[in-house]
Amino acid sequence: ETGVTQTPRHLVMGMTNKKSLKCEQHLGHNAMYWYKQSAKKPLELMFVYSLEERVENNSVPSRFSPECPNSSHLFLHLHTLQPEDSALYLCASSPRDRAIEKLFFGSGTQLSVL
Amino acid sequence: QKEVEQNSGPLSVPEGAIASLNCTYSDRGSQSFFWYRQYSGKSPELIMFIYSNGDKEDGRFTAQLNKASQYVSLLIRDSQPSDSATYLCAGNSGGGADGLTFGKGTHLIIQP
C-alpha cells in the first residue's frame, strides 16, 4: 500500500455518461498528479496540482476536468468520453522534497468507454 | 519535446545473472531520474532515483547516470524471478511540480 488510494478500481461507462474518479493521499504530500497509461505508450502526464493550484495542463481535452479541493484529495471528472479514452488512469502524489519529484502512485482506475 | 527512450524488450536474463536496463533522454535540462518497477496489472513502484553523475547503489540495484551522454541505466544483480516486471525510466527538470516524463518501459523476464 503506497498511501495513495484510488476509487473505483474499474469503471465501464458509455460515451454519454458522466463519472468521476477519486484519489486520496495519506502521505502529507503537497503535489498531486493524474497520469494516463495506454497499452504500448509511455505514461502521459495529464494534470499537476501543487498546493491545490493547477500548474500543468498537458493539452488534455476538455472532456477531462480535474478538481483539487485540498492537498489530500484529487478528482477527475469525465463526460462525453470517446472509446480511445479507455486506459488505466493513475493518480500520484509527491512531497517535492528538495525539488526531486518522487512520485507515489495509487492502484489506478481501469476505465473502459463503450 | 521532452522524450525518454527505452528498448521495450522483452529482455530475458537467467536467474542469478546481472540484468542491465538502459534509457536515454533528450532534455538536457533534466536533473533527476527515476526507475519504477511495474508488475502486470499493478501500478508503478519507485525503486531508485539518481541526480548526480556516477553510480548509486541500493541493495541489488545500481543506478548509473551519465549526463554528458544523456544516459541512465539500472543494473540488477543476482536477478530473481520476482524481478520479472516492466521497468520504467523517468526524468524531470526539477525545481517545481512539473511531473515526470516516462519512457515506454522495458519488459524484463528472469528465467529460472
Side-chain angles (χ1 to χ4, degrees), chain A residues 31 33 35 37 40-43 45 48 50 55-56 88 90 96 98-108, chain B residues 4 32 34 36 38 41-46 49 51 88 92-104:
Chain A
Y33 310 75
Y35 274 87
Q37 188 172 36
K40 302 193 185 302
K41 295 175 75 173
L43 277 158
L45 177 64
V48 180
S50 177
V55 296
E56 180 83 18
L88 179 67
L90 290 161
R96 291 184 55 211
R98 292 173 293 156
I100 296 174
E101 278 184 285
K102 289 188 284 186
L103 267 58
F104 294 83
F105 286 90
S107 300
Chain B
V4 174
S32 49
F34 304 80
Y36 283 81
Q38 186 172 24
K42 302 292 185 182
S43 59
E45 172 193 11
L46 179 64
F49 69 93
Y51 53 87
L88 307 175
N92 83 332
S93 299
D98 300 323
L100 303 184
T101 300
F102 283 83
K104 292 183 182 180

Side-chain angles (χ1 to χ4, degrees), chain B residues 14 23 33-36 42 52 57 59 66 68-69 76 78 84 103 112:
Chain B
C23 167
F33 300 88
F34 304 80
W35 284 100
Y36 283 81
K42 302 292 185 182
S52 298
E57 187 174 320
N66 184 325
S69 300
I76 306 175
D78 187 23
S84 298

Side-chain angles (χ1 to χ4, degrees), chain B residues 1-69:
Chain B
Q1 182 79 355
K2 301 176 186 177
E3 289 187 347
V4 174
E5 299 287 342
Q6 295 181 258
N7 188 324
S8 60
L11 173 65
S12 188
V13 174
E15 183 176 358
I18 296 175
S20 178
L21 303 160
N22 304 312
C23 167
T24 59
Y25 60 95
S26 63
D27 180 14
R28 283 201 170 272
S30 295
Q31 296 182 14
S32 49
F33 300 88
F34 304 80
W35 284 100
Y36 283 81
R37 177 176 62 200
Q38 186 172 24
Y39 292 114
S40 179
K42 302 292 185 182
S43 59
E45 172 193 11
L46 179 64
I47 299 176
M48 291 195 69
F49 69 93
I50 186 168
Y51 53 87
S52 298
N53 270 330
D55 296 0
K56 179 181 178 182
E57 187 174 320
D58 184 2
R60 296 188 296 114
F61 299 97
T62 299
Q64 299 174 317
L65 173 59
N66 184 325
K67 291 188 177 181
S69 300

